[in-house]
PDB file of all heavy atoms in Angstrom:
ATOM      1  N   VAL A 269      -2.275   1.938  13.540  1.00 98.00           N
ATOM      2  CA  VAL A 269      -3.391   1.118  13.047  1.00 98.00           C
ATOM      3  C   VAL A 269      -4.642   1.452  13.849  1.00 98.00           C
ATOM      4  O   VAL A 269      -4.578   1.630  15.067  1.00 98.00           O
ATOM      5  CB  VAL A 269      -3.051  -0.389  13.214  1.00 98.00           C
ATOM      6  CG1 VAL A 269      -4.285  -1.259  13.106  1.00 98.00           C
ATOM      7  CG2 VAL A 269      -2.007  -0.827  12.186  1.00 98.00           C
ATOM      8  N   TRP A 294      -8.006  -8.999  19.771  1.00 98.00           N
ATOM      9  CA  TRP A 294      -8.061  -7.803  18.905  1.00 98.00           C
ATOM     10  C   TRP A 294      -6.860  -6.901  19.191  1.00 98.00           C
ATOM     11  O   TRP A 294      -6.247  -6.336  18.292  1.00 98.00           O
ATOM     12  CB  TRP A 294      -9.366  -7.017  19.144  1.00 98.00           C
ATOM     13  CG  TRP A 294     -10.601  -7.724  18.670  1.00 98.00           C
ATOM     14  CD1 TRP A 294     -10.663  -8.813  17.832  1.00 98.00           C
ATOM     15  CD2 TRP A 294     -11.950  -7.399  18.998  1.00 98.00           C
ATOM     16  NE1 TRP A 294     -11.970  -9.173  17.635  1.00 98.00           N
ATOM     17  CE2 TRP A 294     -12.786  -8.330  18.330  1.00 98.00           C
ATOM     18  CE3 TRP A 294     -12.546  -6.423  19.786  1.00 98.00           C
ATOM     19  CZ2 TRP A 294     -14.169  -8.306  18.432  1.00 98.00           C
ATOM     20  CZ3 TRP A 294     -13.932  -6.383  19.886  1.00 98.00           C
ATOM     21  CH2 TRP A 294     -14.742  -7.317  19.220  1.00 98.00           C
ATOM     22  N   ILE A 295      -6.536  -6.760  20.494  1.00 98.00           N
ATOM     23  CA  ILE A 295      -5.405  -5.912  20.900  1.00 98.00           C
ATOM     24  C   ILE A 295      -4.102  -6.468  20.312  1.00 98.00           C
ATOM     25  O   ILE A 295      -3.304  -5.743  19.708  1.00 98.00           O
ATOM     26  CB  ILE A 295      -5.312  -5.856  22.447  1.00 98.00           C
ATOM     27  CG1 ILE A 295      -6.445  -5.004  23.023  1.00 98.00           C
ATOM     28  CG2 ILE A 295      -3.950  -5.328  22.902  1.00 98.00           C
ATOM     29  CD1 ILE A 295      -6.544  -5.034  24.545  1.00 98.00           C
ATOM     30  N   ASP A 296      -3.905  -7.774  20.460  1.00 98.00           N
ATOM     31  CA  ASP A 296      -2.660  -8.402  19.990  1.00 98.00           C
ATOM     32  C   ASP A 296      -2.532  -8.259  18.473  1.00 98.00           C
ATOM     33  O   ASP A 296      -1.455  -7.964  17.950  1.00 98.00           O
ATOM     34  CB  ASP A 296      -2.663  -9.883  20.420  1.00 98.00           C
ATOM     35  CG  ASP A 296      -1.308 -10.563  20.271  1.00 98.00           C
ATOM     36  OD1 ASP A 296      -0.274  -9.855  20.281  1.00 98.00           O
ATOM     37  OD2 ASP A 296      -1.276 -11.795  20.153  1.00 98.00           O
ATOM     38  N   MET A 297      -3.649  -8.434  17.770  1.00 98.00           N
ATOM     39  CA  MET A 297      -3.599  -8.376  16.309  1.00 98.00           C
ATOM     40  C   MET A 297      -3.296  -6.959  15.815  1.00 98.00           C
ATOM     41  O   MET A 297      -2.444  -6.759  14.944  1.00 98.00           O
ATOM     42  CB  MET A 297      -4.919  -8.868  15.726  1.00 98.00           C
ATOM     43  CG  MET A 297      -4.794  -9.183  14.254  1.00 98.00           C
ATOM     44  SD  MET A 297      -6.260  -9.932  13.592  1.00 98.00           S
ATOM     45  CE  MET A 297      -6.298 -11.479  14.439  1.00 98.00           C
ATOM     46  N   ALA A 298      -3.974  -5.964  16.413  1.00 98.00           N
ATOM     47  CA  ALA A 298      -3.745  -4.576  15.985  1.00 98.00           C
ATOM     48  C   ALA A 298      -2.293  -4.187  16.272  1.00 98.00           C
ATOM     49  O   ALA A 298      -1.608  -3.588  15.434  1.00 98.00           O
ATOM     50  CB  ALA A 298      -4.710  -3.634  16.714  1.00 98.00           C
ATOM     51  N   ALA A 299      -1.813  -4.567  17.479  1.00 98.00           N
ATOM     52  CA  ALA A 299      -0.448  -4.188  17.874  1.00 98.00           C
ATOM     53  C   ALA A 299       0.580  -4.892  16.987  1.00 98.00           C
ATOM     54  O   ALA A 299       1.584  -4.284  16.582  1.00 98.00           O
ATOM     55  CB  ALA A 299      -0.229  -4.547  19.336  1.00 98.00           C
ATOM     56  N   ALA A 300       0.335  -6.167  16.654  1.00 98.00           N
ATOM     57  CA  ALA A 300       1.269  -6.901  15.786  1.00 98.00           C
ATOM     58  C   ALA A 300       1.347  -6.251  14.407  1.00 98.00           C
ATOM     59  O   ALA A 300       2.427  -6.148  13.813  1.00 98.00           O
ATOM     60  CB  ALA A 300       0.831  -8.357  15.656  1.00 98.00           C
ATOM     61  N   MET A 301       0.207  -5.756  13.918  1.00 98.00           N
ATOM     62  CA  MET A 301       0.224  -5.114  12.600  1.00 98.00           C
ATOM     63  C   MET A 301       1.045  -3.828  12.635  1.00 98.00           C
ATOM     64  O   MET A 301       1.753  -3.500  11.679  1.00 98.00           O
ATOM     65  CB  MET A 301      -1.203  -4.856  12.114  1.00 98.00           C
ATOM     66  CG  MET A 301      -1.893  -6.140  11.703  1.00 98.00           C
ATOM     67  SD  MET A 301      -3.342  -5.857  10.699  1.00 98.00           S
ATOM     68  CE  MET A 301      -4.529  -5.498  11.960  1.00 98.00           C
ATOM     69  N   VAL A 302       0.980  -3.101  13.778  1.00 98.00           N
ATOM     70  CA  VAL A 302       1.802  -1.889  13.929  1.00 98.00           C
ATOM     71  C   VAL A 302       3.284  -2.274  13.857  1.00 98.00           C
ATOM     72  O   VAL A 302       4.076  -1.651  13.125  1.00 98.00           O
ATOM     73  CB  VAL A 302       1.500  -1.186  15.276  1.00 98.00           C
ATOM     74  CG1 VAL A 302       2.524  -0.094  15.552  1.00 98.00           C
ATOM     75  CG2 VAL A 302       0.092  -0.612  15.270  1.00 98.00           C
ATOM     76  N   ALA A 303       3.659  -3.317  14.618  1.00 98.00           N
ATOM     77  CA  ALA A 303       5.067  -3.726  14.659  1.00 98.00           C
ATOM     78  C   ALA A 303       5.536  -4.202  13.282  1.00 98.00           C
ATOM     79  O   ALA A 303       6.659  -3.908  12.858  1.00 98.00           O
ATOM     80  CB  ALA A 303       5.256  -4.814  15.717  1.00 98.00           C
ATOM     81  N   GLU A 304       4.666  -4.905  12.566  1.00 97.00           N
ATOM     82  CA  GLU A 304       5.034  -5.350  11.208  1.00 97.00           C
ATOM     83  C   GLU A 304       5.188  -4.161  10.265  1.00 97.00           C
ATOM     84  O   GLU A 304       6.106  -4.119   9.456  1.00 97.00           O
ATOM     85  CB  GLU A 304       3.958  -6.289  10.642  1.00 97.00           C
ATOM     86  CG  GLU A 304       3.989  -7.674  11.240  1.00 97.00           C
ATOM     87  CD  GLU A 304       3.004  -8.635  10.577  1.00 97.00           C
ATOM     88  OE1 GLU A 304       2.075  -8.179   9.877  1.00 97.00           O
ATOM     89  OE2 GLU A 304       3.166  -9.839  10.794  1.00 97.00           O
ATOM     90  N   VAL A 311       6.901 -10.493  12.871  1.00 97.00           N
ATOM     91  CA  VAL A 311       7.148 -10.190  14.288  1.00 97.00           C
ATOM     92  C   VAL A 311       6.492 -11.239  15.178  1.00 97.00           C
ATOM     93  O   VAL A 311       5.563 -11.919  14.754  1.00 97.00           O
ATOM     94  CB  VAL A 311       6.591  -8.796  14.689  1.00 97.00           C
ATOM     95  CG1 VAL A 311       7.199  -7.698  13.841  1.00 97.00           C
ATOM     96  CG2 VAL A 311       5.067  -8.758  14.623  1.00 97.00           C
ATOM     97  N   ALA A 335      -3.903   1.572  17.850  1.00 98.00           N
ATOM     98  CA  ALA A 335      -2.593   1.035  18.225  1.00 98.00           C
ATOM     99  C   ALA A 335      -1.494   1.851  17.552  1.00 98.00           C
ATOM    100  O   ALA A 335      -1.592   2.170  16.356  1.00 98.00           O
ATOM    101  CB  ALA A 335      -2.500  -0.428  17.807  1.00 98.00           C
ATOM    102  N   VAL A 347       4.440  -1.318  21.700  1.00 97.00           N
ATOM    103  CA  VAL A 347       3.243  -0.772  21.044  1.00 97.00           C
ATOM    104  C   VAL A 347       2.174  -0.523  22.101  1.00 97.00           C
ATOM    105  O   VAL A 347       1.905  -1.390  22.940  1.00 97.00           O
ATOM    106  CB  VAL A 347       2.716  -1.761  19.973  1.00 97.00           C
ATOM    107  CG1 VAL A 347       1.450  -1.219  19.310  1.00 97.00           C
ATOM    108  CG2 VAL A 347       3.787  -2.048  18.926  1.00 97.00           C
ATOM    109  N   GLY A 348       1.591   0.651  22.090  1.00 96.00           N
ATOM    110  CA  GLY A 348       0.514   0.997  23.015  1.00 96.00           C
ATOM    111  C   GLY A 348      -0.828   0.845  22.300  1.00 96.00           C
ATOM    112  O   GLY A 348      -0.952   1.185  21.111  1.00 96.00           O
ATOM    113  N   VAL A 349      -1.801   0.310  23.016  1.00 97.00           N
ATOM    114  CA  VAL A 349      -3.130   0.092  22.410  1.00 97.00           C
ATOM    115  C   VAL A 349      -4.207   0.671  23.325  1.00 97.00           C
ATOM    116  O   VAL A 349      -4.211   0.415  24.533  1.00 97.00           O
ATOM    117  CB  VAL A 349      -3.416  -1.415  22.196  1.00 97.00           C
ATOM    118  CG1 VAL A 349      -4.757  -1.615  21.488  1.00 97.00           C
ATOM    119  CG2 VAL A 349      -2.298  -2.088  21.411  1.00 97.00           C
ATOM    120  N   LEU A 369       2.280  -3.762  24.574  1.00 97.00           N
ATOM    121  CA  LEU A 369       2.791  -5.063  24.124  1.00 97.00           C
ATOM    122  C   LEU A 369       4.172  -4.874  23.511  1.00 97.00           C
ATOM    123  O   LEU A 369       4.424  -3.853  22.856  1.00 97.00           O
ATOM    124  CB  LEU A 369       1.875  -5.679  23.069  1.00 97.00           C
ATOM    125  CG  LEU A 369       0.459  -6.052  23.518  1.00 97.00           C
ATOM    126  CD1 LEU A 369      -0.478  -4.864  23.409  1.00 97.00           C
ATOM    127  CD2 LEU A 369      -0.087  -7.184  22.682  1.00 97.00           C
ATOM    128  N   PHE A 371       7.009  -6.456  20.928  1.00 98.00           N
ATOM    129  CA  PHE A 371       7.229  -7.374  19.795  1.00 98.00           C
ATOM    130  C   PHE A 371       8.697  -7.356  19.408  1.00 98.00           C
ATOM    131  O   PHE A 371       9.387  -6.356  19.609  1.00 98.00           O
ATOM    132  CB  PHE A 371       6.416  -6.927  18.569  1.00 98.00           C
ATOM    133  CG  PHE A 371       4.941  -7.012  18.802  1.00 98.00           C
ATOM    134  CD1 PHE A 371       4.262  -5.968  19.413  1.00 98.00           C
ATOM    135  CD2 PHE A 371       4.239  -8.144  18.434  1.00 98.00           C
ATOM    136  CE1 PHE A 371       2.911  -6.048  19.663  1.00 98.00           C
ATOM    137  CE2 PHE A 371       2.883  -8.231  18.677  1.00 98.00           C
ATOM    138  CZ  PHE A 371       2.216  -7.191  19.295  1.00 98.00           C
TER     139      PHE A 371
END
Side-chain angles (χ1 to χ4, degrees):
V269 163
W294 291 345
I295 288 173
D296 193 24
M297 196 173 294
M301 287 197 278
V302 169
E304 285 185 343
V311 302
V347 179
V349 184
L369 295 86
F371 295 85

